[in-house]
Amino acid sequence: EALHGFRPLDEASLVAYIKATPALASRLGGGGLDSLEINEVGDGNLNFVYIVKSSSGAAIVVKQGLPYVRLVGDSWPMSRERAYFEASTLREHGRLCPEHTPEVYHFDRAMSLMGMRYIESPHIILRKGLIAGVEYPLLADHMSDYMAKTLFFTSLLYNNTTDHKNGVAQYCANVEMSRLTEQVVFSDPYRVSKFNRWTSPYLDKDAEAVRQDDELKLEVAELKSMFMERAQALIHGDLHTASIMVTPDSTQVIDPEFGFYGPMGYDVGAFLGNLILAYYSQNGHADQANDRKAYKKWILKAIEESWNLFQKKFVHLWNKHKESGEAYLPDIYNSSHLLSLAQKKYMTNLFHDSLGFGSAKMIRRIVGIAHVEDLESIKDASKRAECERAALNCAKMLLKGRRQIETIEQVIEHIQSFD
Ligand code: ADP
Ligand code: SR1
Ligand code: MG
Ligand code: MG
């Protein structure tokens, strides 16, 4: 039975597990297994992550999911099957975009355990790079590539209905993770919940205003429905800036344990929304040595380029494969004029979805359960609250007014106007 035989590993038992698992042992150079160096580095909200290094210099990463949410503890149980969906999504996205996805070496469903490529130093978590003020000249190019390929090739623009429905059916079982998102992104910030927190007392009124904003709640209801109902593509499902590891030359996307067939805008919005949060946190990181003004401009440029390149690459894939998918049949969309009108409509909707989801994800990071290091690392609470209020007001405006916005350049203007 697939789910029998689970035991949580620690540094010591992981050594024995690796020795007994050729797919992992062989990656560590065979010989040097007697002096493995193991460090638990999990700084995420859910799982345990070990970096394993052998004396020969080889390294792998082992990630294990325990039956609860690490951030909260065992009072919040969570299906270990998330590890299966993470490994499956990583493999599928890796097939479609190997340049930006770490290889999966081994997956053990009973143990909810995955072995994968160690994304080596000097890669760091993008969120940490954004806090430190580091520019990544290829980030927009790489992330637009990853999003265009993974979203286009898992949608009905490329696939036939049978394959698509099979995928949808398989990933439907990742329901506990979807329900977690439904709660912490689309519900809790809009009601009193013991899980919510914010920078109190500074933002007490702002949090209350979110809970009393009927126009906002009506818009969020539509986004929540779309998240629950729209099986548009196999999305990553948690594409914030701590799910991306970077150097100036390389971009690697990790942690797709929320993967399921959902709306594409949820991924695009997660990435853009987290860049916007990074932008608003910069005032809190400015000091005498660096006012962060130039860096803020770079973040805005990264936001602009990410969307514009994504749109261009996505439509390019659509044109290249226009005979392929079952959604826009070539004998109906049979002129380049009509196809281009259809594409414009599709991309406009996707743009508005991305703005909506991105804004909802900004709001949950300020008044919901799980906050972001960009803002949390601002020690002075009143300064932090100022940054958070600006981000919150911008997000509320973008969420409610997104259908009136036509270009990413207009989004940039709105972001600057709340700063
Ligand atoms: P969680 O699901 O708990 O959020 P993550 O997959 O985000 O866990 O991993 C937590 C941390 O472990 C990351 O922030 C990163 O520092 C490290 N990590 C995860 N996967 C790798 C990898 N393949 N290579 C190097 N470090 C990794
Ligand atoms: C309990 S909420 C934890 C959050 O961390 C994950 O990375 C997801 O973003 C989730 O919403
Ligand atoms: Mg993570
Ligand atoms: Mg995770």
Side-chain angles (χ1 to χ4, degrees), residues 342-411:
Q343 289 171 335
K344 197 153 184 274
K345 217 165 176 187
Y346 194 98
M347 296 315 288
T348 299
N349 287 334
L350 179 47
F351 182 56
H352 292 154
D353 296 350
S354 304
L355 294 181
F357 287 123
S359 306
K361 287 173 78 78
M362 288 170 66
I363 294 171
R364 60 82 55 122
R365 295 295 189 188
I366 297 165
V367 298
I369 179 175
H371 289 218
V372 289
E373 193 181 341
D374 316 53
L375 292 158
E376 291 295 285
S377 59
I378 302 169
K379 289 284 164 294
D380 178 332
S382 80
K383 202 187 259 187
R384 179 167 74 248
E386 251 179 61
C387 298
E388 290 172 327
R389 182 174 294 121
L392 189 59
N393 288 337
C394 175
K396 281 161 61 174
M397 183 272 139
L398 289 177
L399 202 155
K400 291 189 240 182
R402 65 192 186 281
R403 293 184 198 83
Q404 277 67 56
I405 301 175
E406 286 174 12
T407 65
I408 193 75
E409 287 74 17
Q410 291 169 345
V411 175

Side-chain angles (χ1 to χ4, degrees), residues 265-300:
Y266 194 77
D267 273 3
V268 181
F271 178 58
L272 299 181
N274 275 267
L275 287 179
I276 301 175
L277 287 176
Y279 172 89
Y280 283 112
S281 74
Q282 295 303 316
N283 288 353
H285 301 304
D287 55 26
Q288 293 215 314
N290 187 347
D291 64 10
R292 299 280 179 132
K293 284 197 177 133
Y295 194 59
K296 283 164 76 174
K297 279 204 178 131
W298 177 80
I299 297 180
L300 293 179

